[in-house]
Amino acid sequence: MTRMLIVGPAGSGKGTQSTRICQDLGIVAISTGDIFRANIKGGTELGREAQQYVDAGELVPDSVTNRMVEDRLSWDDAASGFLLDGYPRNRAQVTALDEMLERLDVSLDVVLELTADREELIQRLKKRAEIEGRDDDADEDAIRRRLELFDTETAPMIAEYESRGLLRRVDGLGDIDDVTARIMDVLKD
Ligand code: B4P
């Protein structure tokens, strides 16, 4: 059973690789971004709360995000392992996750960081905007803001997991299959 996080800037391949990792390990992928987008599409109260932040590339307030993750982690399918994609994204969320895991009496096995250079990230997101039409990919200011928030909020949080000895870094550049192979090598270690 594996309990893990995948972290990295927008466009680094988190969502893409999560699906593959979870198929291989037989665990559930929980993407905060996907949950927000599904709720925005469905017009739920959570969606209405999150939309302005997601569209602008801002983080949805911690109070909303933490509550949503705690609820999702309590579902039966997460009892046999999970991969959290896009959460936590700042130090306050790390603290909240620590408390949730303590209440569940479980701990993380590994935190996987995907790296890629800024130019490549922007090109990938622009390409996805053409294919999928996500509002936050179509707006250059929102893309810039997401990348900026990664540097200021998320990178310091990753250092926390590094100091706990949980972090494994994988180069996210190159063919998608090659990146998956690199990840699986690291996870099997
Ligand atoms: P996310 O859904 O997490 O969006 P993302 O950072 O862009 O990553 P995503 O997983 O979608 O993309 P990927 O890198 O796989 O967040 C969206 C928004 O939700 C945030 O801005 C925020 O508002 C909100 N949110 C989410 N979590 C939150 C939290 N914890 N707290 C507060 N707010 C939160 O892929 C990008 C593209 O690259 C894809 O098109 C893919 O095909 C392509 N790609 C992937 N790997 C590639 C490769 N090796 N080569 C070429 N292309 C590749």
Side-chain angles (χ1 to χ4, degrees):
M1 185 192 313
T2 309
R3 297 183 189 91
M4 62 181 289
L5 312 180
I6 189 165
V7 297
S12 57
K14 298 186 301 286
T16 309
Q17 297 297 335
S18 291
T19 312
R20 291 162 167 237
I21 296 167
C22 288
Q23 261 168 13
D24 194 281
L25 299 181
I27 56 177
V28 64
I30 300 175
S31 157
T32 42
D34 282 352
I35 300 175
F36 287 135
R37 281 186 290 278
N39 278 276
I40 291 169
K41 206 170 162 200
T44 67
E45 194 188 328
L46 173 63
R48 282 191 292 279
E49 265 183 302
Q51 180 151 28
Q52 54 170 313
Y53 301 101
V54 173
D55 286 352
E58 297 292 342
L59 294 182
V60 177
D62 291 338
S63 55
V64 176
T65 309
N66 292 336
R67 213 177 335 120
M68 178 179 93
V69 171
E70 178 144 34
D71 172 67
R72 184 62 187 84
L73 284 177
S74 72
W75 294 16
D76 286 349
D77 62 356
S80 45
F82 56 80
L83 181 162
L84 276 172
D85 165 6
Y87 181 92
R89 256 177 160 92
N90 60 26
R91 282 189 192 274
Q93 292 184 7
V94 171
T95 305
L97 178 62
D98 284 343
E99 290 168 2
M100 283 176 219
L101 296 180
E102 207 175 304
R103 281 194 284 276
L104 292 168
D105 199 20
V106 298
S107 56
L108 291 175
D109 300 302
V110 61
V111 175
L112 190 78
E113 180 184 2
L114 277 181
T115 60
D117 60 62
R118 185 87 7 151
E119 261 323 294
E120 169 75 10
L121 298 173
I122 293 171
Q123 290 318 314
R124 287 182 187 177
L125 294 173
K126 282 184 173 166
K127 193 168 160 199
R128 184 168 68 183
E130 285 166 22
I131 299 168
E132 294 180 19
R134 257 174 66 171
D135 288 343
D136 57 340
D137 289 342
D139 183 323
E140 281 221 21
D141 286 343
I143 292 182
R144 234 186 299 280
R145 184 64 184 143
R146 281 150 72 199
L147 295 175
E148 191 180 289
L149 276 173
F150 178 80
D151 291 340
T152 57
E153 299 277 324
T154 309
M157 162 225 110
I158 294 174
E160 166 66 27
Y161 287 114
E162 187 164 27
S163 72
R164 296 185 193 180
L166 286 173
L167 190 71
R168 301 288 176 274
R169 267 194 194 98
V170 171
D171 179 5
L173 288 180
D175 191 74
I176 290 176
D177 288 340
D178 292 342
V179 178
T180 309
R182 272 176 227 147
I183 292 173
M184 295 324 295
D185 275 352
V186 164
L187 292 181
K188 271 161 195 152
D189 246 6

